[in-house]
Amino acid sequence: MPSFMRIVEEFGNTFDIFLKAMLVTLQVTAISVLIAVVIGLFFAFLKISKMKILTLIADFYIYIVRGTPLIVQIFIFYFGLTSLNISQFWSVALGLAFHNGAYIAEIFRGSIQSIDKGQMEAGRSLGMSNFLTMRRIILPQAFRRALPPLGNQFIIALKDSSLAAFIGMSELFNVATTLGANNFDNMTYLIIVAVYYLFLVLLLSLLVRFIEKKMSASD
């Protein structure tokens, strides 16, 4: 077990290296989450559709994601997309988005269906279309209810980005394992990278809590 002073010393010595890796981790997580939200909302609407074929398509997508390991999905996207000259970064981002989109779809689906059906009827009685009622009345309320589980899913996505290390992407975990192997001191760098992940998770948790308070205040 490395000493506390050894960890502090290496934390300072490797700060620039880990900072660059942390930015890569944040970038790939942010982009994948944004795409995943769009995917999730799309498949959530398919899930609640009255057309059986659309519901089956959404169920099949969610079943595929839940039934296969994330690392397998990342490898499929990586080897499939890099053969099309799509960069490693975007291969990972799309792989993570594909995975998280299924879970976000279920979060949105549950939140939308939790809204009283009478609100849709009320919107229609005021002359609004289904689409307009959904956009102005249902979705804002559903998003408020979805925010806590969405925050948890975003944190999971951040930590899952560490799997990109297995295809050689220079994010936090990859940098930690590389430094550990080069210096024959894996534990020191694993502890250091754990601190970085804890810091990022704390920031993300505070951001979600801030948004929740803002939305509660606006009500």
Side-chain angles (χ1 to χ4, degrees):
M1 186 72 179
S3 67
F4 177 75
M5 291 307 299
R6 163 70 176 165
I7 295 171
V8 172
E9 180 183 1
E10 284 305 302
F11 191 95
N13 291 338
T14 60
F15 179 77
D16 290 344
I17 300 173
F18 274 108
L19 180 61
K20 291 178 182 178
M22 183 172 68
L23 292 176
V24 172
T25 294
L26 286 173
Q27 287 172 352
V28 76
T29 301
I31 291 173
S32 67
V33 161
L34 288 174
I35 299 173
V37 167
V38 175
I39 293 173
L41 195 56
F42 173 75
F43 280 99
F45 283 129
L46 295 190
K47 281 279 287 184
I48 63 177
S49 171
K50 294 180 180 179
M51 296 180 63
K52 187 66 175 178
I53 183 65
L54 298 182
T55 304
L56 288 174
I57 291 172
D59 286 339
F60 180 72
Y61 161 63
I62 293 170
Y63 174 76
I64 290 293
V65 171
R66 287 180 169 178
T68 56
L70 173 55
I71 188 64
V72 174
Q73 295 166 22
I74 289 176
F75 268 77
I76 289 174
F77 270 84
Y78 174 66
F79 287 109
L81 295 180
T82 51
S83 64
L84 302 175
N85 294 321
I86 295 176
S87 69
Q88 181 188 62
F89 178 91
W90 281 102
S91 299
V92 173
L94 292 174
L96 289 171
F98 174 81
H99 179 83
N100 287 288
Y103 294 94
I104 291 175
E106 286 290 77
I107 292 171
F108 278 135
R109 191 267 312 161
S111 299
I112 291 171
Q113 291 185 329
S114 71
I115 305 300
D116 194 313
K117 293 181 179 179
Q119 299 203 33
M120 175 63 78
E121 297 170 0
R124 293 303 306 276
S125 68
L126 293 173
M128 289 190 285
S129 65
N130 281 342
F131 175 79
L132 197 59
T133 304
M134 179 66 70
R135 184 170 67 87
R136 290 186 175 180
I137 298 176
I138 307 299
L139 282 182
Q141 296 180 71
F143 183 75
R144 289 188 183 92
R145 296 185 182 185
L147 192 54
L150 279 177
N152 290 333
Q153 191 61 42
F154 296 162
I155 290 172
I156 292 170
L158 171 65
K159 293 186 291 185
D160 283 346
S161 68
S162 62
L163 293 175
F166 291 96
I167 59 170
M169 186 173 173
S170 297
E171 45 69 64
L172 280 172
F173 185 65
N174 181 282
V175 167
T177 54
T178 301
L179 287 172
N182 291 341
N183 293 280
F184 305 101
D185 187 7
N186 288 297
M187 186 59 71
T188 294
Y189 299 101
L190 289 174
I191 292 173
I192 290 172
V193 79
V195 171
Y196 279 98
Y197 277 116
L198 286 169
F199 173 71
L200 292 178
V201 168
L202 175 62
L203 284 183
L204 187 53
S205 300
L206 291 175
L207 177 62
V208 171
R209 193 174 303 170
F210 173 77
I211 295 173
E212 284 183 25
K213 288 183 179 179
K214 279 289 184 181
M215 297 186 76
S216 298
S218 66
D219 289 340

